[in-house]
């Protein structure tokens, strides 16, 4: 799933290529992907892209006051082309939608929004204000905004710190991968209850949030969309690396599996050497 650093890089990529171009058409190959009907997608045609922004993990194209908001969800991606095919999209294929743009020499450039797998979560919105998208209206603070402080966000929250970091209503932009990386850098168990964190642990979490995301943002910036997925994988220290050696202490990175996801952690760095129970087979937190 693309998270804050990759989405921010996609926004920068689109800002360089799409701003100033005129929308020729928003073509849909999956009618369920567009979650709004007023204004209609056809209202975009002939309008100019004047800006691109990020809200959490969502991309927002400002098209002369109308907004195309894209949430790539778990398996979505954005694929730019400098020479789009002329033929119409086929219904039911891997391409869910295409935004065709005219940069001055005809409607040949633009991007496809794709989604792999059978579980469909990709969503697009055409709205007059990005806050008309419920998920944007409910977003918590962005962790890279000046003055962000995680400390007040954990108070009174009887939830696991891993879950807290992934809750978009609490903190915007962090998903499964970067929450693993942040907790590893902060030397915290993913299952620790948020409001039991002491001052030292909160300081480590605050520092890890800033450092991990800032480093990832810097690494992703300027890379073309086609390289961002592989680049993200190579930068992970524990996420997706179960069975490998922890780069900090050398212990074996372990995994906890759930029904439809998993997390990775280092026992030595994060849990005092204790192994966490696999949630597919145990109802208890170890």
């Amino acid at each position: 799933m693309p998270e804050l650093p990759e989405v921010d890089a996609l926004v920068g990529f689109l800002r360089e290529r799409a701003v100033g171009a005129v929308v020729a058409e928003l073509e849909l190959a999956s009618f369920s992907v567009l979650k709004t009907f007023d204004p209609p997608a056809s209202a975009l045609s002939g309008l100019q892209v004047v800006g691109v922004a990020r809200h959490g993990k969502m991309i927002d194209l400002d098209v002369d006051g109308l907004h195309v908001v894209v949430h790539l969800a778990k398996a979505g991606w954005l694929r730019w082309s400098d020479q789009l095919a002329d033929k119409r999209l086929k219904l039911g294929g891997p391409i869910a939608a295409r935004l065709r743009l005219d940069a001055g020499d005809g409607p040949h450039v633009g991007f496809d929004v794709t989604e792999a797998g059978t579980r469909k979560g990709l969503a697009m919105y055409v709205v007059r204000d990005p806050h008309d998208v419920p998920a944007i209206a409910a977003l918590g603070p962005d962790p890279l905004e000046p003055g962000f402080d995680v400390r007040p966000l954990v108070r009174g929250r009887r939830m696991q710190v891993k879950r807290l970091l992934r809750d978009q209503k609490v903190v915007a932009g962090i998903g499964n991968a970067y929450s693993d990386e942040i907790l590893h850098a902060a030397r915290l168990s993913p299952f620790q209850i948020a409001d039991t964190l002491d001052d030292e642990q909160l300081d480590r979490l605050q520092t890890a949030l800033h450092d991990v995301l800032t480093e990832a943002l810097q690494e992703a910036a300027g890379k073309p969309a086609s390289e961002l997925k592989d680049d993200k994988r190579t930068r992970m220290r524990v996420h997706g690396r179960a069975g490998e050696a922890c780069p900090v202490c050398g212990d074996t990175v372990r995994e906890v599996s759930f029904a439809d996801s998993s997390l990775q952690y280092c026992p030595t760095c994060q849990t005092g050497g204790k192994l966490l129970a696999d949630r597919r087979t145990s109802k208890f937190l170890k």
Side-chain angles (χ1 to χ4, degrees):
M1 176 188 292
E3 301 177 36
L4 185 157
E6 293 76 45
V7 174
D8 204 80
L10 287 172
V11 165
F13 181 86
L14 287 175
R15 197 175 283 138
E16 290 181 359
R17 290 160 177 79
V19 170
V22 172
V23 174
E25 181 183 13
L26 174 59
E27 184 182 351
L28 300 173
S30 169
F31 294 110
S32 64
V33 75
L34 186 62
K35 306 303 182 183
T36 53
F37 62 89
D38 181 30
S42 59
L44 299 166
S45 299
L47 301 182
Q48 186 179 53
V49 179
V50 296
V52 189
R54 176 182 62 81
H55 307 279
K57 294 185 281 188
M58 286 167 276
I59 299 168
D60 169 18
L61 284 89
D62 184 343
V63 186
D64 270 345
L66 295 182
H67 293 261
V68 180
V69 176
V70 182
H71 182 208
L72 294 170
K74 188 171 185 178
W77 197 244
L78 186 149
R79 187 171 67 197
W80 178 269
S81 176
D82 290 320
Q83 190 60 52
L84 290 170
D86 292 330
K87 62 177 63 174
R88 307 288 295 179
L89 295 177
K90 293 183 179 179
L91 296 178
I95 301 175
R98 171 174 290 165
L99 187 68
R100 189 181 291 274
L101 302 171
D102 185 344
D105 57 354
H108 308 305
V109 302
F111 62 85
D112 293 332
V113 180
T114 66
E115 186 170 30
T118 56
R119 296 187 63 183
K120 303 302 183 183
L122 179 71
M124 297 183 71
Y125 308 81
V126 178
V127 291
R128 295 179 178 86
D129 186 316
H131 286 85
D132 291 339
V133 178
I136 291 179
L139 278 178
D142 191 292
L144 292 182
E145 284 293 316
F148 173 83
D149 189 354
V150 72
R151 297 169 186 86
L153 302 180
V154 305
R155 293 181 188 136
R157 295 190 186 272
R158 299 293 301 174
M159 60 196 300
Q160 296 164 7
V161 65
K162 164 83 173 179
R163 181 182 162 203
L164 179 142
L165 291 177
R166 296 186 62 189
D167 189 333
Q168 299 303 294
K169 295 179 181 179
V170 179
V171 184
I174 301 170
N176 196 31
Y178 285 105
S179 59
D180 281 353
E181 297 295 296
I182 289 164
L183 291 171
H184 176 251
R187 307 193 306 281
L188 294 174
S189 168
F191 288 165
Q192 184 162 350
I193 300 302
D195 74 352
T196 67
L197 295 170
D198 61 29
D199 289 341
E200 182 185 0
Q201 290 172 320
L202 285 169
D203 288 344
R204 297 204 308 262
L205 181 58
Q206 175 78 15
T207 299
L209 270 161
H210 176 271
D211 291 354
V212 168
L213 293 175
T214 298
E215 180 184 348
L217 204 69
Q218 292 170 347
E219 290 291 331
K223 288 186 169 63
S226 59
E227 295 181 11
L228 286 170
K229 284 184 182 180
D230 289 340
D231 176 70
K232 176 182 178 179
R233 294 188 189 100
T234 62
R235 288 187 281 101
M236 297 291 107
R237 294 178 173 89
V238 291
H239 182 78
R241 298 198 179 278
E244 299 181 24
C246 169
V248 174
C249 72
D251 194 3
T252 302
V253 175
R254 305 284 181 160
E255 180 172 272
V256 177
S257 296
F258 302 85
D260 58 355
S261 66
S262 63
L263 64 84
Q264 289 79 42
Y265 70 100
C266 171
T268 295
C269 292
Q270 296 177 252
T271 62
K274 181 182 291 187
L275 300 184
L276 301 176
D278 191 302
R279 297 309 303 272
R280 291 178 302 181
T281 58
S282 173
K283 296 180 181 178
F284 304 100
L285 305 182
K286 300 294 186 182

